[in-house]
């Protein structure tokens, strides 16, 4: 008989998540049926969406449910064609160390998530990258930046959450495209990493530098593209610096996730009309059918040394909530993951 441990939501989040919001439970797994696999988690992902959607019944997360999350797991038993033992798979099975699940093209998946996907050959690269630069965060940076914002060489691109999983990729893709790149992040150490190792033209600690003052200095003629990971006051200030025909993509709103009241939509400033700005909200799920195309390009840039990655790896199943809370507080550089 196979047992699984899982981390469940013990109570709804109120403000910043706390260790007491989670509980570990055990369950016995059923024997495999045709079309199913048994998989053992190797890495858990910790992601901001778990705060924005976790604990929210709207997205199907109830108290007592396993925390919704992505993981990369090794297939240890299989009765599903095309899912052989030994292969790795990325799936939104939550924070659970063993899973019996149906797999294959006909398995229903919530619209906000990807279906289980086998990990393609990563060569010498760590498996955890399938949760980071070569996975959901990579796709979330790649397509919204290139297809929605369409940055051109010489243009000024601003990214907030710049030292995180998505933001660090976005800034580097903009550099590859020949743009001037400005990043905002929450510590001097992150700013140093962005400038000295990733090659951002400018980076600022938004906790100690006024965003408008920084942009007046770094982008005196204005901003062409804004990749918004954070929302709130910081984004209001960046948007006030947009140039004629500027493009904005809103992918996240992490400054708001711990707030008890959702932010009101303020009146769209006249800058939008006067400068003919375009603002588009994006979910990575829009590009499911082009996943391989995005990952192939990101992997190629990594191989060529044009795209650097960094991970913040926590260790051990029991440390997962701590890693999650730490990521929301900004303790991570690049992608935050937990190695089991
Ligand atoms: N739409 C989609 O399909 C999609 C997909 C993936 C991610 N996202 C969104 O994209 C954003 C980044 O996600 P990620 O996975 O790359 O996470 P991440 O940036 O790796 O980690 C979260 C970061 O948010 C920053 N942060 C926390 N509180 C903040 C605040 N009040 N103001 C500004 N920054 C704050 C922290 O960095 P600092 O030290 O810089 O504060 C922290 O490290 C999130 O908003 C997420 O919800 C959306």
């Amino acid at each position: 008989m196979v047992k699984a441990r899982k981390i469940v939501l013990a109570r709804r989040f109120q403000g910043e998540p706390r260790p007491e919001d989670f509980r570990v439970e055990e369950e016995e797994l059923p024997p495999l049926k045709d079309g199913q696999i048994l998989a053992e988690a190797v890495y858990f992902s910790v992601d901001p969406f778990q705060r924005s959607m976790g604990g929210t019944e709207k997205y199907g997360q109830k108290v007592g449910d396993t925390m919704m999350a992505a993981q990369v797991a090794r297939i240890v038993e299989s009765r599903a064609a095309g899912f052989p033992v030994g292969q790795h798979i990325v799936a939104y099975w939550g924070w659970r160390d063993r899973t019996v699940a149906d797999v294959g093209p006909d398995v229903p998946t919530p619209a906000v998530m990807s279906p289980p996907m086998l990990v393609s050959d990563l060569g010498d690269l760590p498996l955890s990258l399938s949760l980071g630069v070569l996975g959901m965060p990579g796709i979330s940076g790649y397509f919204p930046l290139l297809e929605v914002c369409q940055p051109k060489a010489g243009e000024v691109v601003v990214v907030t959450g710049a030292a995180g999983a998505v933001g660090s990729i976005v800034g580097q893709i903009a550099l590859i495209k020949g743009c001037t790149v400005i990043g905002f992040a929450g510590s001097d150490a992150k700013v140093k990493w962005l400038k000295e190792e990733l090659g951002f033209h400018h980076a600022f600690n938004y906790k100690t530098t006024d965003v408008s003052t920084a942009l007046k200095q770094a982008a005196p003629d204005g901003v062409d593209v804004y990749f918004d990971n954070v929302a709130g006051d910081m984004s209001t200030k960046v948007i006030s610096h947009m140039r004629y025909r500027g493009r904005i993509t809103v992918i996240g709103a992490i400054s708001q996730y711990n707030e008890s009241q959702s932010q009101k939509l303020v009146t769209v400033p006249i800058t939008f009309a006067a400068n003919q700005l375009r603002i588009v909200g994006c979910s990575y799920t829009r590009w499911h059918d082009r996943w391989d195309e995005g990952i192939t390009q990101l992997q190629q840039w990594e191989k060529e040394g044009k795209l650097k990655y960094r991970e913040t790896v926590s260790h051990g199943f029991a440390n997962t909530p701590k890693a999650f809370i730490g990521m929301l507080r900004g303790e991570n550089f690049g992608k935050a993951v937990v190695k089991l």
Side-chain angles (χ1 to χ4, degrees):
M1 189 180 308
V2 181
K3 285 193 170 174
R5 282 180 303 165
K6 54 187 188 174
I7 299 172
V8 306
L9 184 70
R11 62 180 190 188
R12 292 216 168 285
F13 300 132
Q14 289 197 337
E16 186 180 43
R18 297 184 210 178
E20 314 84 84
D21 298 340
F22 307 94
R23 186 174 68 230
V24 176
E25 291 184 357
E26 235 183 46
E27 70 179 18
E28 281 174 16
L29 296 179
L32 289 197
K33 293 189 199 141
D34 283 343
Q36 291 188 325
I37 57 167
L38 167 64
E40 286 182 355
V42 184
Y43 288 94
F44 286 157
S45 190
V46 294
D47 289 286
F49 85 85
Q50 296 173 272
R51 175 63 187 90
S52 57
M53 297 181 180
T56 316
E57 285 203 14
K58 186 175 166 200
Y59 296 103
Q61 172 90 68
K62 297 190 291 301
V63 169
D65 284 351
T66 307
M67 270 299 290
M68 51 165 66
Q71 59 168 262
V72 59
R74 185 171 175 276
I75 300 175
V76 293
E77 264 183 70
S78 178
R79 288 182 61 179
F83 291 84
V85 168
Q87 274 264 20
H88 289 100
I89 185 164
V90 170
Y92 282 81
W93 290 327
W95 287 341
R96 45 182 305 129
D97 63 356
R98 292 198 180 89
T99 305
V100 167
D102 292 299
V103 284
D106 302 329
V107 175
T109 312
V112 291
M113 294 173 187
S114 306
M117 279 185 283
L118 288 174
V119 177
S120 54
D121 183 14
L122 298 183
D124 294 339
L125 295 171
L127 185 59
S128 48
L129 296 197
S130 57
L131 298 172
V133 61
L134 301 180
M136 182 275 277
I139 295 293
S140 305
Y142 181 85
F143 285 112
L145 178 70
L146 294 181
E147 305 246 319
V148 174
C149 296
Q150 301 181 351
K152 295 171 198 63
E155 288 191 327
V156 175
V157 174
V158 170
V159 55
T160 43
V166 176
S168 59
I169 296 166
V170 166
Q172 292 183 85
I173 298 174
L175 288 171
I176 291 168
K177 295 293 166 187
C179 301
T180 297
V181 178
I182 304 170
F184 288 94
S187 74
D188 292 345
K190 288 184 179 183
V191 163
K192 188 170 154 57
W193 177 56
L194 294 174
K195 287 205 290 198
E196 295 182 8
E197 289 187 45
L198 301 192
F200 281 41
H201 295 91
H202 306 275
F204 300 95
N205 179 348
Y206 68 86
K207 291 180 180 164
T208 55
T209 311
D210 173 66
V211 170
S212 278
T213 311
L215 288 178
K216 270 184 209 149
Q217 175 221 314
D221 297 327
V223 172
D224 298 288
V225 166
Y226 174 37
F227 195 103
D228 186 4
N229 277 314
V230 303
D233 289 345
M234 210 185 330
S235 292
T236 305
K237 285 186 179 170
V238 176
I239 289 169
S240 72
H241 287 260
M242 298 299 294
R243 267 154 69 96
Y244 180 67
R245 297 226 165 145
R247 289 87 69 200
I248 302 155
T249 184
V250 179
I251 190 155
I254 196 163
S255 72
Q256 307 301 305
Y257 297 165
N258 284 334
E259 301 297 322
S260 53
Q261 294 200 320
S262 55
Q263 199 188 26
K264 290 198 181 75
L265 184 64
V266 291
T267 312
V268 175
I270 189 63
T271 353
F272 271 86
N275 282 344
Q276 299 191 40
L277 305 183
R278 184 155 52 91
I279 184 164
V280 179
C282 286
S283 165
Y284 76 98
T285 51
R286 180 166 149 191
W287 289 279
H288 271 327
D289 57 341
R290 294 176 61 191
W291 197 272
D292 290 347
E293 174 193 336
I295 297 298
T296 303
Q297 178 60 82
L298 290 162
Q299 198 164 356
Q300 180 63 28
W301 281 332
E302 193 284 330
K303 209 183 285 176
E304 292 166 4
K306 293 178 181 163
L307 186 61
K308 296 183 182 143
Y309 66 86
R310 190 158 165 181
E311 298 178 296
T312 298
V313 184
S314 302
H315 293 267
F317 179 89
N319 281 322
T320 307
K322 195 165 165 259
F324 173 58
I325 294 165
M327 176 277 299
L328 293 173
R329 287 182 181 167
E331 289 169 10
N332 59 308
F333 282 66
K335 179 73 185 100
V337 292
V338 179
K339 190 171 192 326
L340 271 76

